[in-house]
Amino acid sequence: KVLIDVPCSELAEELAQSQTKTQVLQDTLQQVLDRREEERQSRQLLELYLEALKNEDSILSKVAGSETVPRKDMDVVDAATSSTGASAKTALSDQILAALKEKPAPELCLDSQDLELVLKEDTQALALALRWDKQKAEALQQACDQELSKRLQQVQTLHSLRSTSKGKKALP
C-alpha cells in the first residue's frame, strides 16, 4: 500500500528503475490490492447469504412445524364485561392469551400464525379477554402487525437472495 502512494518519480529514483517500469509495478500492486478487497467483500457477502439461508430454513421449519400441529388448544374464551353482564368471545387459545398478558414483548414470542390470529381478533374482545383497556389492546395489535410485516419482509428478502444466487449459478 505504501509503494502505491509514493509518487512514481520518487519510487523510480529509489529503485534505480525507469518511471515506466515503476508505473507498471505500482499498477500491478494496485490490481493485487483491488483483487484482495473484492475477495474479502465476496467472502463477507457469502457469509451473509449463508446466514440468511440458515435463518430462512429455521423460519420455514417453524412455519411447517406449526402447520402440522393440530390446533386442539383453540378454545372460545369468555370474558365478562364490567357493567353489561354480556360476554365477549375470542378465538385465541389460553396459551396465546397467557403469552400476551405475561410477556413484556409478546409479539416476539408468538409464531406468525398466532400473530395473524391476534390481528384478526376484534380489539374490544381482545381488551376484554386480557382485562385491558382498548388503547392497550390496539397498541398490542399494532406491535403484532409490525412484527408480522417484518417477518414477511425477511422471508421475501431471503427468497430474493435465493433466486438471485440461483440465477448466477446458471450463468456460464
Side-chain angles (χ1 to χ4, degrees):
K1 175 103 171 105
V2 174
L3 293 176
I4 294 171
D5 295 335
V6 174
C8 185
S9 57
E10 290 179 25
L11 186 58
E13 264 181 57
E14 194 66 37
L15 295 173
Q17 296 288 328
S18 70
Q19 280 194 8
T20 307
K21 285 186 176 182
T22 306
Q23 185 63 49
V24 169
L25 173 66
Q26 284 182 318
D27 290 345
T28 303
L29 291 172
Q30 184 63 55
Q31 289 172 356
V32 168
L33 287 175
D34 290 346
R35 190 176 67 240
R36 285 182 182 171
E37 178 61 18
E38 286 176 7
E39 289 170 355
R40 184 189 67 76
Q41 289 177 355
S42 294
R43 275 193 308 274
Q44 281 183 328
L45 186 59
L46 180 61
E47 288 171 4
L48 284 172
Y49 175 70
L50 292 174
E51 185 178 324
L53 278 179
K54 190 168 48 171
N55 288 341
E56 180 186 23
D57 287 343
S58 106
I59 288 171
L60 290 176
S61 67
K62 284 181 184 176
V63 168
S66 69
E67 289 174 356
T68 58
V69 175
R71 291 286 187 163
K72 291 182 260 179
D73 55 343
M74 294 285 282
D75 294 332
V76 175
V77 178
D78 288 341
T81 58
S82 55
S83 60
T84 61
S87 60
K89 306 242 184 239
T90 177
L92 300 177
S93 70
D94 291 335
Q95 183 180 10
I96 296 173
L97 290 171
L100 294 174
K101 281 183 185 178
E102 298 167 8
K103 303 290 182 179
E107 67 277 7
L108 301 177
C109 303
L110 297 174
D111 64 27
S112 297
Q113 191 174 5
D114 291 342
L115 289 175
E116 287 178 0
L117 289 173
V118 172
L119 288 174
K120 289 177 185 175
E121 192 61 55
D122 176 65
T123 307
Q124 186 64 39
L126 181 63
L128 290 171
L130 295 171
R131 293 186 175 86
W132 289 355
D133 61 35
K134 189 173 180 180
Q135 290 155 335
K136 190 172 179 181
E138 284 174 354
L140 171 70
Q141 285 181 315
Q142 287 176 353
C144 290
D145 187 32
Q146 289 172 355
E147 178 63 22
L148 188 60
S149 295
K150 185 177 87 174
R151 290 179 189 180
L152 291 174
Q153 177 84 28
Q154 288 173 339
V155 169
Q156 289 171 347
T157 302
L158 292 172
H159 284 301
S160 174
L161 272 174
R162 180 174 279 170
S163 66
T164 301
S165 70
K166 284 179 182 176
K168 287 186 178 185
K169 285 179 191 174
L171 293 175

